[in-house]
Amino acid sequence: MMNGLEGKKIWIYSLGCRSNQYEGEALANAFTDAGAELVDSPEDCDGAVLVSCTVTAMADKKCRQAVRRARRQSRNALVAVCGCWAQKITRTEAHSLGISIVVGNRRKGELPALLAGAFREETPSFVEDRVDVLRSREWDGLFLSRPLLHTRAFVKIQDGCNHFCSYCAIPYVRGFPVSRDPGDILSEVEQIAGSGCSEVVLTGVHLGLYGKYGSVSLAEIVRRIASVEGLRRIRFGSLEPFGLDDELLEALAAEPRFCRHLHLPLQSGSGSVLARMKRGYTPGEFLSLAEKARRFLGDDLHISTDVLVGFPGESEGDFDDTLSLIKACRFGKVHVFPFSPREGTEAWSYPDKIPRETVLRRTREALSAADGLLAGFASRWVGSDVPVLVEETAGNSFQGLTPSFLRVAARGGAERGEELPVRITRISGDSLRGRRVP
């Protein structure tokens, strides 16, 4: 055990993407292995750990709120922040918020030892551990042997991005692309499956770059993971469209345990907006990719996406093109985000800002179209029996996910982590309703 953490109550709070969720889980493993106790709230904790996000201005705000919540509910706790927001926060702001430890990306594996050292000090000093991620080629030393915070296990296999979309700050805080060692990935997945967890979600900041800066391809990693005994489901987090090539599609189509769901961020259906965003594809190329994915993986493939509304210079015609393309692509779940300018990015200084009331109207219209698309996709399952991986139980009911990433609420007894057949009876909002099949 790590001297300094035994018996300490640690609250871990992860904001943002699935890579952050993985890092929070891996840190939870490290703290419990060192003798600490995980708690569900910052109230009366000894240490608060925030796995932070900076994808939007709202994400920054949520990070500050989480830190203030921890300081308010546990005045004597040590507060540590790590990750993307921590990579860029100034020392002055960290001090003003009462943060004791700041750890950037590529260094999160050092956080438990840093917190243990701070606990040993009578008067802990401010500690920071940050590297120049744009130059670093190191892999963060985190390892997940069993999921403690989720039913599914997120497995981070890639980090960093060098695409530099004009609106995105993430490459500056996540750094140069790196791929995790294949043997390390396989060892982690074997331990996760051995712990009784049957689903892994492969994640990365730019997952499609796995193998571009490593020894094997993403398709090969899927094939190797599929050989792990006890694993019933494999799925991806977000995958940029330009990461989906024929080799990968062939590997996914050949593996029945790969869940028929792909999250492919579109961002806009306008060719001129995509060009200013520097996304690297046209609307027609994206539509062709969606059609090709269905040819490989079947027409029941759930393709979900992200749409960014109100990008500088977006005309009514551009927005109409987006609505038309999301319908043509036959998306299921569509996540809609209003554009949030990020200082330091190219789009920060773009002219032709869209008025707030126009952005809000377009956001509402896109969300309305998204609701219709999800209902249309989900309706094909009504009357069918589908396997559901149970995530939550309450009395004689449970909730979980289908392989195609649709949420189901059902009647019947169940245990968390079980995969059960459910007869789908209707759609309710953004989820399905049903009952357990005897």
Side-chain angles (χ1 to χ4, degrees):
M1 288 189 181
M2 192 178 298
N3 185 24
L5 291 175
E6 300 90 340
K8 297 293 186 183
K9 295 181 179 179
I10 305 295
W11 178 62
I12 299 175
Y13 187 58
S14 299
L15 287 168
C17 66
R18 288 181 174 86
S19 290
N20 278 11
Q21 302 303 315
Y22 165 83
E23 290 158 354
E25 283 274 24
L27 285 169
N29 274 235
F31 279 110
T32 56
D33 289 347
E37 175 189 349
L38 298 182
V39 293
D40 296 329
S41 151
E43 188 173 1
D44 297 326
C45 69
D46 299 300
V49 176
L50 171 66
V51 183
S52 67
C53 175
T54 190
V55 70
T56 62
M58 179 57 68
D60 288 0
K61 181 179 179 180
K62 288 180 179 180
C63 289
R64 296 184 185 99
Q65 289 173 337
V67 171
R68 292 188 180 109
R69 177 188 173 195
R71 297 261 19 99
R72 184 175 62 252
Q73 295 190 16
S74 293
R75 294 187 178 278
N76 296 321
L78 293 177
V79 177
V81 298
C82 64
C84 294
W85 181 65
Q87 183 68 32
K88 69 168 192 176
I89 188 176
T90 65
R91 292 186 184 183
T92 299
E93 183 173 12
H95 285 302
S96 70
L97 290 168
I99 295 170
S100 303
I101 299 173
V102 176
V103 176
N105 285 318
R106 311 287 170 96
R107 303 294 297 164
K108 300 183 197 72
E110 305 301 317
L111 197 153
L114 294 174
L115 195 54
F119 281 134
R120 291 193 295 268
E121 294 182 15
E122 188 171 331
T123 305
S125 55
F126 176 76
V127 176
E128 68 173 328
D129 187 354
R130 293 186 276 195
V131 298
D132 182 354
V133 290
L134 289 173
R135 296 180 180 275
S136 174
R137 303 295 188 269
E138 66 179 306
W139 182 262
D140 206 342
L142 294 169
F143 193 89
L144 176 64
S145 57
R146 62 209 182 281
L148 297 172
L149 309 177
H150 302 87
T151 305
R152 300 172 293 143
F154 301 102
V155 175
K156 192 178 82 170
I157 68 171
Q158 188 278 336
D159 206 346
C161 177
N162 60 356
H163 194 74
F164 292 99
C165 297
S166 64
Y167 56 86
C168 185
I170 297 305
Y172 302 98
V173 293
R174 277 285 183 175
F176 190 82
V178 289
S179 295
R180 190 176 185 185
D181 176 74
D184 192 31
I185 296 170
L186 202 59
S187 175
E188 183 167 270
V189 172
E190 287 171 347
Q191 290 205 35
I192 288 168
S195 75
C197 177
S198 60
E199 178 177 325
V200 296
V201 184
L202 304 184
T203 72
V205 173
H206 190 333
L207 186 60
L209 288 180
Y210 185 87
K212 304 292 193 298
Y213 299 90
S215 58
V216 302
S217 67
L218 182 55
E220 178 59 23
I221 280 296
V222 170
R223 285 190 284 265
R224 294 185 187 185
I225 288 174
S227 69
V228 174
E229 187 177 349
L231 205 58
R232 293 202 300 268
R233 290 186 181 185
I234 304 166
R235 71 169 80 244
F236 287 160
S238 183
L239 182 71
E240 292 295 343
F242 23 79
L244 193 61
D245 57 26
D246 285 2
E247 182 199 5
L248 180 56
L249 283 169
E250 288 171 1
L252 302 184
E255 180 44 62
R257 280 174 290 184
F258 180 79
C259 296
R260 269 37 185 180
H261 168 241
L262 291 171
H263 185 81
L264 305 175
L266 169 64
Q267 306 305 0
S268 175
S270 160
S272 60
V273 173
L274 286 173
R276 292 197 302 278
M277 288 179 168
K278 297 191 171 179
R279 288 294 290 164
Y281 51 82
T282 66
E285 288 169 342
F286 191 101
L287 178 57
S288 295
L289 181 67
E291 292 171 344
K292 182 165 70 171
R294 288 193 173 96
R295 285 199 300 272
F296 276 91
L297 297 172
D299 202 52
D300 282 343
L301 172 68
H302 179 192
I303 304 179
S304 57
T305 198
D306 298 330
V307 169
L308 197 57
V309 173
F311 193 74
E314 181 189 65
S315 67
E316 286 298 328
D318 292 328
F319 178 63
D320 288 343
D321 286 345
T322 295
L323 294 182
S324 295
L325 189 59
I326 64 174
K327 293 171 185 175
C329 288
R330 294 185 288 143
F331 290 124
K333 180 70 175 178
V334 179
H335 302 269
V336 180
F337 303 95
F339 171 68
S340 174
R342 307 301 286 139
E343 189 171 2
T345 65
E346 187 177 329
W348 172 261
S349 59
Y350 278 4
D352 301 323
K353 301 291 193 295
I354 307 301
R356 175 174 169 77
E357 59 271 19
T358 302
V359 175
L360 293 177
R361 173 181 59 79
R362 290 177 184 172
T363 300
R364 289 193 298 270
E365 290 182 24
L367 285 170
S368 177
D371 289 343
L373 286 167
L374 181 59
F377 177 77
S379 65
R380 68 180 59 204
W381 306 105
V382 175
S384 301
D385 293 348
V386 297
V388 173
L389 184 64
V390 179
E391 293 193 323
E392 299 176 20
T393 63
N396 194 43
S397 64
F398 59 92
Q399 293 188 33
L401 289 170
T402 70
S404 55
F405 207 65
L406 293 173
R407 186 156 295 281
V408 175
R411 299 188 305 275
E415 295 290 333
R416 192 169 179 264
E418 277 188 297
E419 188 175 48
L420 302 171
V422 172
R423 175 75 48 81
I424 303 301
T425 56
R426 62 187 176 95
I427 304 170
S428 176
D430 62 354
S431 64
L432 299 170
R433 294 290 188 271
R435 62 180 183 275
R436 179 176 176 174
V437 177

